Each structure stands twice: as structure tokens, then as C-alpha cells.
């Protein structure tokens, strides 16, 4: 069946601009996670959704980052006033209910110039 | 803050060589250990989930062992092939209702034909 998909695969934006990154989880998966991999680092947890609500957003680095999942399926990660330090690969994962066995998408590579 | 360490950072081997790499983690915060293979522009692929001390798992030419008392896991690849070239990530789940995975920085394996 279809896996987790993410769009766009690559995004180049200028410093100060707003970006949205989209994640389509596996159908039927109620839990959704966002991670970020900066250069030279492992992926780091950003936020966990159970259904429509953010169950844990403790990994969001600051208030420029926000994520939504209004219908409990597709999620959008929104970054305001992008900075060069936001350049990273943003990974989305989903799982049946809440589960540490997570299925990952291919990521969106964000470059802020 | 949990510290998951992987070594080496990168590795070049010849086709046919066998190789192994290490993931170390705090033994006091263990629930499960995941290994993923991540090829460029693709989704991280789950290789193994390991939960019990002394676990050994095998998938084709790849195998993994787990020592939760001393806090390490080894991943072995027998008879490396060019298609094994990828970044190998380990991730610790230390319990908790957010199901957050804490990743190491990965080992980049390049297999030369």
C-alpha cells in the first residue's frame, strides 16, 4: 500500500519567507510525527499528533514553527520568517495509534538562502 | 537529554567485505532500539526493532545484536554490496507517551564495487 508521502521533496526559500511542508500519512494511522535532521545531526523530534490534536509539541524550536492536522490525516508544518538555521531535512512519520514503530516519509529538504 | 552515539561516522568498504558498526545509548533509559537504513532521497527503512537484552535479529545479510545492560547494539553486514550503501541510523525509544525516538547521527556506509 501507499507509504507516507511528503511534498515538496525540495524547497528553496529566501530568509524571512514563510513556508509550508505537507505530510500525507499512511491511511488509517492516527498518530503522526515530525522530525528535523540538520546537517551533521540525527533526526530530532519536533511534534507528535494523536488524531487532530498536538499531543506533544515540546520539540518545536521556537514560536516561528507551527503544525496542524485539522482532519486527523494530512499534516502541515508551517515555518514563519525562515532563517538560514532552519535549513534541514524535515521528516514525517506515522503509526497506528501512538507507537514507537513509526513509518517514515522521504522527507522535505528545506534550504533557506 | 538522552545521548545516542553511533560509530564510526562514515565507513568505506570494498564489495564483498563484511562490516559492523555500533550504537551506544544510556542503559538506564531503555525500552526499544530501532535500526533504520536511509538511502538518499528515499524514506528511512526500518530494519530491526529490538527490545530484549541479548536479542539477535537477522534479515538476509544484515544482523543486529543488543546489550541493554551495557547500553550498546551492533549492526553487521556480511558480504557488503554496493546497494548496501546508505546511512544507517539507530534510534532509542525510552518510554513515554509521546513515542519520541532519539536518533544517533548515523553511520554513512559506502560500498565500492
Amino acid at each position: 500500500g501507499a507509504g507516507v508521502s511528503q511534498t515538496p521533496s525540495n524547497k528553496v526559500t529566501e530568509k524571512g519567507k514563510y513556508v509550508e511542508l505537507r505530510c500525507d500519512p499512511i491511511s488509517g494511522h492516527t498518530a503522526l510525527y515530525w522530525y528535523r535532521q540538520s546537517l551533521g545531526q540525527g533526526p530530532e523530534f519536533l511534534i507528535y499528533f494523536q488524531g487532530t490534536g498536538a499531543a506533544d509539541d515540546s520539540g518545536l524550536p521556537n514560536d516561528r514553527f507551527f503544525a496542524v492536522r485539522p482532519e486527523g490525516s494530512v499534516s502541515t508544518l508551517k515555518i514563519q520568517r525562515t532563517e538560514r538555521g532552519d535549513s534541514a531535512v524535515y521528516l514525517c512519520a506515522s503509526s497506528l495509534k501512538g507507537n514507537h514503530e513509526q513509518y517514515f516519509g522521504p522527507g522535505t529538504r528545506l534550504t533557506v538562502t | 537529554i538522552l545521548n545516542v552515539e553511533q560509530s564510526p561516522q562514515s565507513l568505506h568498504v570494498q564489495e564483498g567485505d563484511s562490516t559492523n558498526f555500533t550504537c551506544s545509548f544510556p542503559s538506564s533509559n531503555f525500552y526499544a532500539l530501532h535500526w533504520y537504513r536511509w538511502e538518499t532521497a528515499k524514506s528511512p527503512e526500518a530494519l530491526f526493532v529490538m527490545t530484549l537484552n541479548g536479542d539477535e535479529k537477522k534479515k538476509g545479510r544484515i544482523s543486529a545484536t543488543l546489550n541493554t545492560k551495557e547500553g550498546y547494539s551492533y549492526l553487521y553486514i556480511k558480504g557488503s554490496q554496493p546497494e548496501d550503501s546508505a546511512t544507517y541510523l539507530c534510534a532509542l525509544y525510552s518510554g513515554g507517551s509521546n513515542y519520541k525516538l532519539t536518533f544517533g547521527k548515523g553511520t554513512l556506509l559506502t560500498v565500492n564495487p
Side-chain angles (χ1 to χ4, degrees), chain A residues 40-106:
Chain A
Q41 304 298 314
E44 295 175 320
F45 170 83
L46 296 177
I47 187 168
Y48 157 52
F49 284 91
Q50 182 56 253
T52 59
D56 185 338
D57 65 358
S58 61
L60 294 177
N62 52 59
D63 61 7
R64 294 185 298 104
F65 288 75
F66 190 69
V68 296
R69 195 184 184 203
E71 297 177 4
S73 177
V74 170
S75 176
T76 305
L77 180 65
K78 307 180 181 200
I79 311 174
Q80 297 179 317
R81 304 183 305 280
T82 50
E83 299 177 357
R84 292 196 181 90
D86 299 335
S87 296
V89 175
Y90 289 80
L91 285 167
C92 175
S94 70
S95 68
L96 270 174
K97 300 184 181 178
N99 198 316
H100 59 93
E101 296 190 39
Q102 298 167 15
Y103 298 83
F104 283 84

Side-chain angles (χ1 to χ4, degrees), chain A residues 35 37 56 100 102 104-106, chain B residues 34 36 38 43 98-99 101 104:
Chain A
Y35 292 82
Q37 188 194 31
D56 185 338
H100 59 93
Q102 298 167 15
F104 283 84
Chain B
H34 294 257
Y36 288 89
W38 192 7
S43 302
N98 63 5
Y99 305 99
L101 297 176

Side-chain angles (χ1 to χ4, degrees), chain B residues 4-33:
Chain B
V4 176
E5 302 279 353
Q6 290 189 249
S7 63
Q9 208 169 346
S10 65
L11 195 53
H12 288 252
V13 301
Q14 290 298 125
E15 183 174 356
D17 287 351
S18 292
T19 187
N20 67 83
F21 16 96
T22 305
C23 174
S24 60
F25 51 86
S27 56
S28 59
N29 292 281
F30 182 83
Y31 190 97
L33 194 283

Side-chain angles (χ1 to χ4, degrees), chain B residues 37-96:
Chain B
R37 174 169 61 202
W38 192 7
E39 296 179 61
T40 304
K42 294 187 178 179
S43 302
E45 174 198 356
L47 292 174
F48 304 112
V49 181
M50 309 183 81
T51 55
L52 296 175
N53 184 44
D55 251 355
E56 289 189 29
K57 295 207 171 178
K58 188 173 179 181
K59 186 176 182 178
R61 295 180 291 99
I62 305 178
S63 60
T65 61
L66 178 68
N67 183 322
T68 59
K69 293 185 190 299
E70 296 180 36
Y72 64 83
S73 175
Y74 293 139
L75 190 79
Y76 301 90
I77 303 179
K78 186 177 175 182
S80 303
Q81 300 296 308
E83 58 264 31
D84 296 329
S85 297
T87 295
Y88 290 81
L89 290 166
C90 70
L92 175 70
Y93 172 58
S94 56

